[in-house]
Amino acid sequence: MTRVYNFSAGPACLPEWVLKKAADEMLDARQSGMSVMEMSHRSQEFQEILDTCKARLRRLMNIPENYEILFCQGGGTMQFSMVPLNLLKHSADIINTGQWTKKAIMEHKKLGEVHVIASSAEDNFTYIPKIKPEDLSQDSDYLYICENNTIYGTKYKELPPHPGKLLVADMSSCILSEPCDVSQYDLIFAGAQKNMGPAGVTIVIVKKDLIGNAKENIPSLLDYKTYADNDSMYNTPPCYSIYMVGLVLEWLEEQIGGLEEMEKLTHKRAKMLYDYIDSSKLYSNPVAKEDRSYTNIPFVTGSEELDKKFVKEAKEHGLVNLKGHRSVGGMRASLYNAMPVEGVEALIEFMKNFEKENLAHV
Ligand SMILES: *Cc1c(COP(=O)(O)O)cnc(C)c1O
């Protein structure tokens, strides 16, 4: 068996420890005589899986008691609609930092008034626009941000000011990569398939007093209250994905030692790659240094042909899914929690050799 180093932006690599444990429990999970996939979601075994998963997330992220943890489906994308359906009364302020906020803006517009109060679109989203409190709209209910921009490789290092407004953050591609002060936010959501587990479940962390104010007559499954009142089991939840997220959280707590420890790895991986890119003559990263993402690192050679060759040859060396998003081009290395430091070393080693062989031809 040869496992590759998978730099995919999502669905992304998972820790080997997690995959092995899932394999061990595939036929007989916790002496139930069956796989988690075959269990009733109403069984005591599954209830325990869900409770443990929630409790681990609460411990790891230090989630205060006045926040609810919900397990939804429909990906991050469904939240682009659920957030306004549940929180938008007058209007929403959104900072446009790329594809994922553009889509959130599009869905918001169907449901209410939106103010795009800042945008880095004119520079192809290579930085995070800074705002001042006076940029916020008078009647907005909340400020909406995408904290880490998976496609463009930018990240908020500091939260924007939002006096008197709720703060909503899409953390799909940075959640669990470092400690997070949840009390600074009113609602956080994240699809699991970037940094938490396989696709199929989206985690929503929301202040309890914001639940139960949804627009009238909306479908039950779009109302956070339905999830909160039914322990996320109003209907069949994505049981296996929740189980896998639980294993990833177990790995984070017990094998890694929590988010402070993970943060060290997150910074180490990113620094290794940025330092090399910045010192190289062939590669460059277009993002403003202070706004660089730790988890998604785009880079280009300056030649489309060479970029193609890079992606192809990297794959032959067991370094896969390095092709950049179609809107940016070039390459992108996603360095999520499950990427071992050895994977980044192998990538840099390959990049050095590729540079040596190809620099003369640029
Ligand atoms: C991937 C991603 C999404 C969309 O997630 P889906 O689960 O495909 O709906 C939204 N926001 C961010 C930041 C993402 O990285």
Side-chain angles (χ1 to χ4, degrees):
M1 181 191 72
T2 26
R3 279 186 52 86
V4 294
Y5 288 120
N6 178 7
F7 295 92
S8 170
C13 57
L14 286 163
E16 252 179 53
W17 184 91
V18 167
L19 295 172
K20 281 186 180 144
K21 179 133 184 181
D24 281 347
E25 296 189 326
M26 183 56 72
L27 296 183
D28 178 9
R30 291 144 210 229
Q31 276 117 45
S32 63
M34 63 177 90
S35 161
V36 175
M37 278 184 258
E38 304 169 294
M39 277 178 191
S40 162
H41 59 295
R42 306 286 176 208
S43 65
Q44 197 193 328
E45 284 94 345
F46 185 73
Q47 186 69 52
E48 274 174 30
I49 288 171
L50 185 101
D51 292 345
T52 310
C53 179
K54 250 184 169 171
R56 281 195 196 281
L57 188 66
R58 202 176 278 283
R59 273 200 302 273
L60 270 165
M61 289 183 73
N62 243 318
I63 301 173
E65 276 308 317
N66 62 324
Y67 287 76
E68 197 70 71
I69 300 170
L70 311 174
F71 298 94
C72 301
Q73 300 189 47
T77 305
M78 179 86 102
Q79 296 308 313
F80 302 160
S81 307
M82 279 181 86
V83 166
L85 280 169
N86 285 269
L87 302 187
L88 196 153
K89 301 287 172 256
H90 306 96
S91 73
D93 285 332
I94 303 188
I95 301 176
N96 186 17
T97 50
Q99 199 76 10
W100 299 120
T101 48
K102 275 196 216 162
K103 287 193 168 170
I105 291 164
M106 180 179 84
E107 297 303 329
H108 271 74
K109 280 187 173 160
K110 297 176 188 171
L111 299 164
E113 202 183 324
V114 191
H115 311 284
V116 180
I117 59 165
S119 168
S120 47
E122 78 288 354
D123 278 320
N124 202 29
F125 301 113
T126 48
Y127 71 99
I128 299 283
K130 308 286 178 289
I131 63 155
K132 299 190 214 67
E134 54 268 32
D135 297 330
L136 297 160
S137 310
Q138 231 150 46
D139 73 341
S140 61
D141 303 292
Y142 54 88
L143 172 63
Y144 177 106
I145 61 167
C146 179
E147 188 154 322
N148 183 78
N149 293 279
T150 324
I151 294 173
Y152 299 91
T154 59
K155 183 185 188 297
Y156 285 83
K157 304 290 167 69
E158 251 171 60
L159 292 176
H162 53 100
K165 313 287 182 194
L166 304 175
L167 181 65
V168 174
D170 175 357
M171 283 199 193
S172 294
S173 51
C174 59
I175 194 162
L176 301 175
S177 62
E178 57 187 5
C180 167
D181 182 358
V182 174
S183 70
Q184 299 292 309
Y185 303 81
D186 295 280
L187 188 149
I188 291 168
F189 70 85
Q193 73 273 20
K194 311 284 163 66
N195 214 10
M196 264 191 301
V201 64
T202 304
I203 286 175
V204 178
I205 301 165
V206 55
K207 263 202 183 130
K208 284 178 179 165
D209 60 11
L210 296 174
I211 298 172
N213 304 311
K215 288 190 200 302
E216 270 176 48
N217 295 320
I218 65 167
S220 306
L221 281 178
L222 297 178
D223 188 341
Y224 292 133
K225 191 170 185 325
T226 306
Y227 295 81
D229 287 351
N230 296 281
D231 199 15
S232 297
M233 291 200 278
Y234 174 74
N235 70 326
T236 316
C239 302
Y240 200 75
S241 298
I242 291 170
Y243 159 77
M244 287 295 287
V245 169
L247 291 186
V248 169
L249 299 178
E250 184 178 341
W251 170 77
L252 267 171
E253 267 199 311
E254 290 172 18
Q255 304 295 311
I256 299 295
L259 297 189
E260 279 84 9
E261 291 304 313
M262 184 45 81
E263 182 180 40
K264 290 180 198 161
L265 287 169
T266 299
H267 289 177
K268 180 174 179 175
R269 284 185 291 248
K271 185 175 184 325
M272 283 166 66
L273 187 52
Y274 283 124
D275 281 353
Y276 171 63
I277 290 172
D278 290 344
S279 73
S280 105
K281 294 199 172 62
L282 182 60
Y283 311 101
S284 63
N285 165 283
V287 174
K289 276 194 178 150
E290 67 276 15
D291 296 330
R292 283 173 163 182
S293 166
Y294 302 121
T295 43
N296 306 100
I297 304 183
F299 56 95
V300 294
T301 63
S303 147
E304 259 177 58
E305 217 173 297
L306 211 50
D307 289 349
K308 255 195 209 133
K309 187 169 178 235
F310 181 99
V311 172
K312 181 172 168 282
E313 291 182 11
K315 187 173 177 196
E316 290 160 10
H317 285 76
L319 307 165
V320 308
N321 287 321
L322 281 160
K323 191 173 183 317
H325 190 272
R326 57 193 180 280
S327 56
V328 178
M331 282 72 73
R332 170 178 50 176
S334 293
L335 310 181
Y336 294 126
N337 287 352
M339 176 57 64
V341 168
E342 296 78 48
V344 187
E345 285 167 354
L347 173 61
I348 293 172
E349 187 58 31
F350 171 79
M351 287 170 78
K352 281 184 182 164
N353 290 332
F354 189 86
E355 175 167 354
K356 243 185 251 152
E357 284 163 26
N358 294 279
L359 195 53
H361 309 296
V362 186

